[in-house]
Amino acid sequence: MNSEARNWRADVMVFDEHDRPFMALEAQLSPMTQEEAQMRTDRYARDGVAVCWVALQDRPWERVVPSLRVRSPRQRGESWTVWHGVARYAWEPRTLKAKAKWVHITCPLGDAVKWILDGRVRAHTGLNGTVWWTAPAYEQLAVARARMEADAEAVGRVEAAERRRREAEQRAAAAERRELERQAELQERRAELQRLAGFFQHAGLDAGVWESFAQMVRSASGKAILYGDQSPSRGNGLLVYARPRWTSDTFKLAGVVCPDPEALVEWPAELTILVPDQTWLSRIQAAARSPLKVAVLNPATGRTTFTRVGPTPDRA
């Protein structure tokens, strides 16, 4: 293409029945920036004239102003063809699940110009700022799709808000249940400590030492543990019942915590004595009159020792 062709531009002005210009058709072959195209289009608009730019190849300005990209006839008898710049809105079936998009169509240049001059198509600006020609019916279809999407989004927001509200209520209810369970556990713990107050005085234990001792008993036995009452027949020691975990078996007497040494005269050989320290072990050893099983669970050291105690020679 020579320099004259590169700078070539053809203008066609269309007039109404009162000889007033209302449409300009410009075949733009020379270079033009997007800013220049927009400025010239705005100038036409100020004069009350619409414009359609025509190009033979992709130009940077064709996406920001109303334009047609055309192809020259390839052989005798063919017409000039528009292959970019006129679009229809494809959406079938008309449901949200169906994809929708603008599709550029191919048509004779004469038809495209006629549609533009007759007002059957008009310049449409897409969401990304790109401009093309389309029929009002396609614009309405795109608006209907957008409204459907907006309605679905609104319903989705309402449903999401309702879901968040339910989840918040569920979390609040769960937190309330946990708090009630914690309060019930604390109340049960206080009641248990109050119930064992007499035993603590008898054994010389405080509540903190007892909790550590009880935890060591559970760990050492590997069984479910239940503490009964002080037993006068077992030297006012605290009765300990046990059963295997994860079973429905009944609890059975398994040991006695801190019985008075005087009660060891007729002590069952297989009934374990549980004590918290060496002081209690020494008392048991000094009073033993028969073989005894003793478990020393020391909260201070965290050590557990199982031993068998026999009577001293002078008590044998």
Side-chain angles (χ1 to χ4, degrees):
M1 183 180 290
N2 57 35
S3 59
E4 292 182 358
R6 283 197 299 270
N7 296 323
W8 180 82
R9 168 180 127 223
D11 301 339
V12 176
M13 189 68 69
V14 181
F15 297 84
D16 63 14
E17 65 274 12
H18 302 291
D19 291 330
R20 294 175 300 192
F22 75 92
M23 186 78 195
L25 302 174
E26 291 216 21
Q28 182 71 31
L29 299 183
S30 58
M32 180 172 63
T33 65
Q34 292 187 18
E35 292 74 16
E36 289 173 334
Q38 189 64 64
M39 179 183 66
R40 291 167 62 180
T41 300
D42 292 343
R43 187 186 305 156
Y44 273 120
R46 285 195 297 272
D47 294 336
V49 178
V51 64
C52 176
W53 300 91
V54 181
L56 288 174
Q57 49 187 289
D58 187 4
R59 298 294 186 182
W61 44 262
E62 74 175 4
R63 291 171 177 79
V64 298
V65 294
S67 62
L68 297 174
R69 194 189 311 166
V70 300
R71 181 185 297 136
S72 60
R74 295 183 178 179
Q75 58 186 8
R76 186 182 299 275
E78 288 187 354
S79 62
W80 286 76
T81 303
V82 174
W83 60 289
H84 191 277
V86 179
R88 65 182 179 85
Y89 193 68
W91 179 28
E92 290 294 339
R94 295 181 183 179
T95 65
L96 276 179
K97 291 184 178 180
K99 292 183 179 180
K101 61 180 179 179
W102 288 96
V103 179
H104 286 266
I105 64 173
T106 301
C107 64
L109 176 59
D111 288 350
V113 172
K114 187 175 188 309
W115 296 339
I116 293 172
L117 296 179
D118 290 344
R120 293 172 59 186
V121 297
R122 59 193 181 192
H124 171 85
T125 303
L127 295 178
N128 61 356
T130 301
V131 181
W132 58 82
W133 296 95
T134 192
Y138 289 129
E139 288 184 314
Q140 294 169 5
L141 192 59
V143 169
R145 167 79 185 207
R147 286 175 178 169
M148 186 180 293
E149 290 175 345
D151 291 343
E153 289 177 2
V155 171
R157 287 193 296 270
V158 171
E159 291 177 348
E162 177 62 18
R163 184 169 58 254
R164 290 193 296 270
R165 184 191 65 78
R166 290 196 303 267
E167 290 172 351
E169 288 182 349
Q170 291 170 357
R171 288 194 298 270
E176 184 178 359
R177 286 194 301 271
R178 289 194 298 271
E179 179 61 19
L180 291 175
E181 291 171 357
R182 190 182 72 84
Q183 292 294 339
E185 184 177 338
L186 287 175
Q187 187 174 357
E188 183 178 345
R189 177 183 167 194
R190 294 191 193 99
E192 179 68 0
L193 294 178
Q194 185 175 358
R195 181 181 77 85
L196 297 177
F199 168 72
F200 293 160
Q201 185 175 5
H202 157 78
L205 301 175
D206 60 34
V209 172
W210 168 253
E211 289 185 358
S212 299
F213 177 84
Q215 177 59 45
M216 293 181 70
V217 172
R218 288 192 295 270
S219 299
S221 68
K223 297 180 178 181
I225 299 297
L226 181 65
Y227 293 97
D229 297 323
Q230 283 182 267
S231 173
S233 64
R234 297 299 176 197
N236 283 325
L238 189 69
L239 300 181
V240 181
Y241 298 89
R243 67 167 173 78
R245 294 182 184 274
W246 322 121
T247 70
S248 58
D249 295 346
T250 57
F251 282 89
K252 296 180 180 180
L253 182 63
V256 180
V257 184
C258 296
D260 282 335
E262 290 77 8
L264 302 179
V265 177
E266 296 181 358
W267 194 266
E270 296 304 315
L271 185 58
T272 303
I273 298 172
L274 298 88
V275 295
D277 51 41
Q278 291 296 321
T279 300
W280 265 98
L281 176 61
S282 297
R283 293 175 62 188
I284 299 299
Q285 289 173 326
R289 295 176 180 273
S290 59
L292 302 172
K293 290 170 56 179
V294 181
V296 182
L297 304 102
N298 193 325
T301 64
R303 295 183 60 185
T304 299
T305 304
F306 295 92
T307 184
R308 286 190 176 273
V309 173
T312 59
D314 60 334
R315 292 182 178 271

